[in-house]
Structures are given as C-alpha cells and as structure tokens.
C-alpha cells in the first residue's frame, strides 16, 4: 500500500508538471505573439529663418564702397553732361575718410573748413552749385545723410567747372584731369593748370590717385 501511495503521488506530480508546462507554453505564446511596431517618427519641423532688417541690413556707410551708388553716378553725370567715370573716380578719391554722418558732424566741430558727404563738398561750393538747380532748396548740412544729393551736387559742380575752362588750353592735362584738379584745388588753380602750369605736389597726388582709381571706376559703372 505504501508503494501504491508513492506511485499515486508520483502520478499526481507528473500530472501537475504537465499542467504547469501547458500553462507556461500558453503564457509564453500570448506574450510573444504581438509583433513590435516601429515607433512613429515625428517629422522634424522645417527650420524657418526670420530676417530682421533692423539687425541684418547694415547702414550704407558701413564698409562703404562708391560702387554701390553707380546708378546715381550714371544718372546725375548724364544730367550734368560730364563723364560718369570721372565722377565715380572722384568719389573713390574722396573715400579716404569715414562717411558716417555722426563722425562727419563731430569732425566739423574741430575742422575750420569741413567738407560734408561722400563727395567731400565744402559749404561755399555747394551753395554756389545749387543755385537755379532742382536741389536749390536743399542744405549743405544734409549731405552726410544723403549720398544721392552729394553725388548730384558734385556732378553739377564739375559741370560748372567745365564751363570755366579756357577755350584754348595747353596739352599738359586732359579735360577730365583738369576738372579733377579743379574739384580738388579750386576753379582758379584749374585755369592756371589749363594754361600749362604744372600742378603742385598736393594737386598731383590727387591726380595720381585719380589715375589709380580710373579702371576701378569703369568696372563699378559696368557692374
């Protein structure tokens, strides 16, 4: 009877193991049946660039280059009947100092004979040139803030200088060279140079710079 009892316990044990294994198999299958789905990838937002003109657009006088005013040079040179290449070369000659309007006005406080604008025009020359012109009501004090006005005034100043050239001139300088000398040294000296007097060191230095800027001026006007 003890043997039968042992076998009965063994049989019960085997039965329990079988039931446990069956349950284990079913549990395993249930857990592993669902396939893992790939996680949905959220589309990345397209980066947008907001341009703030107040911070990205530099004032014209920062990193100033006369070439940026080529349209104005062509227009006013044509109106005044002068060579646009000459006008552009003069602007290059006159870019030796900063043209920040604030700087120009501060400089005028210590300079007894200041010049304003990108063409570095003195008050008497501007006031004389504007008479009878479209900009007659404009003021010399506006030149630092208004490059177009400065170019217009310079063009007509060269026009007026051309009218003062003597009808008979020596062959020492071309007409454009004489006008450049007149712009730098004044109409009276220009007439002296036109008659054959050689320019002094300061006026010659201005003329040398003009020659150096001549080809660059043509490129600026053609760009």
């Amino acid at each position: 009877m003890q043997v039968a009892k042992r076998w009965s316990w063994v049989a019960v044990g085997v039965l329990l193991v079988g039931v446990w294994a069956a349950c284990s198999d079913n549990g395993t299958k249930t857990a592993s049946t669902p396939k893992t789905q790939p996680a949905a990838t959220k589309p990345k937002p397209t980066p947008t660039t907001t341009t703030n003109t107040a911070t990205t657009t530099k004032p014209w006088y920062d990193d100033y280059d006369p070439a940026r005013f080529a349209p104005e040079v062509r227009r006013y040179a044509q109106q005044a009947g002068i060579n646009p290449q000459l006008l552009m070369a003069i602007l290059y000659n006159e870019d030796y100092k900063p043209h920040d309007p604030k700087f120009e006005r501060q400089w005028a406080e210590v300079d007894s004979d200041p010049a304003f604008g990108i063409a570095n025009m003195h008050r008497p020359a501007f006031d004389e040139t504007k008479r009878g012109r479209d900009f007659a009501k404009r003021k010399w004090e506006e030149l630092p803030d208004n490059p177009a006005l400065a170019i217009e005034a310079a063009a007509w100043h060269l026009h007026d200088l051309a009218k003062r050239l003597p009808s008979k001139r020596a062959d020492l300088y071309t007409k454009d060279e004489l006008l450049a000398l007149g712009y730098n040294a004044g109409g009276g000296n220009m007439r002296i140079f036109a008659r054959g007097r050689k320019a002094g060191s300061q006026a010659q230095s201005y003329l040398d710079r003009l020659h150096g800027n001549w080809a660059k001026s043509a490129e600026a006007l053609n760009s």
Side-chain angles (χ1 to χ4, degrees), residues 70-212:
E72 289 83 356
V73 169
R74 287 191 292 265
R75 179 166 69 250
Y76 292 123
Q78 182 179 17
Q79 290 179 8
I82 63 166
N83 184 355
Q85 190 172 359
L86 169 64
L87 180 56
M88 179 63 80
I90 285 176
L91 292 184
Y92 274 110
N93 268 32
E94 301 294 343
D95 73 350
Y96 61 88
K97 73 176 185 181
H99 287 297
D100 182 335
K102 183 178 179 181
F103 172 86
E104 287 200 356
R105 291 190 171 91
Q106 289 176 340
W107 182 256
E109 294 177 1
V110 298
D111 189 346
S112 60
D113 185 24
F116 272 174
I118 61 175
N120 284 333
M121 186 169 281
H122 296 272
R123 185 195 296 271
F126 179 81
D127 289 343
E128 182 179 354
T129 301
K130 74 177 185 178
R131 293 174 187 168
R133 303 266 158 70
D134 293 341
F135 56 99
K137 294 183 179 180
R138 307 301 290 271
K139 295 182 178 180
W140 174 74
E141 289 82 0
E142 298 177 56
L143 292 179
D145 305 288
N146 197 325
L149 177 61
I151 294 169
E152 184 178 15
W156 284 105
H157 182 46
L158 289 168
H159 167 91
D160 293 345
L161 286 171
K163 292 176 65 175
R164 296 181 61 184
L165 283 172
S167 56
K168 294 183 179 180
R169 302 192 298 267
D171 296 332
L172 188 59
Y173 300 108
T174 66
K175 179 181 177 180
D176 283 342
E177 289 174 331
L178 287 170
L179 293 180
L181 288 169
Y183 194 91
N184 175 251
N189 287 322
M190 175 192 72
R191 291 174 61 86
I192 294 174
F193 301 147
R195 294 190 181 98
R197 175 77 63 85
K198 190 174 181 180
S201 59
Q202 184 174 345
Q204 184 60 48
S205 175
Y206 191 86
L207 197 57
D208 291 341
R209 293 203 309 274
L210 188 87
H211 293 155

Side-chain angles (χ1 to χ4, degrees), residues 2-26:
Q2 290 181 350
V3 173
K5 188 181 290 188
R6 281 201 304 269
W7 280 109
S8 63
W9 282 110
V10 169
V12 170
V14 170
L15 181 61
L16 289 174
V17 170
V19 171
W20 176 84
C23 292
S24 299
D25 288 344
N26 288 338

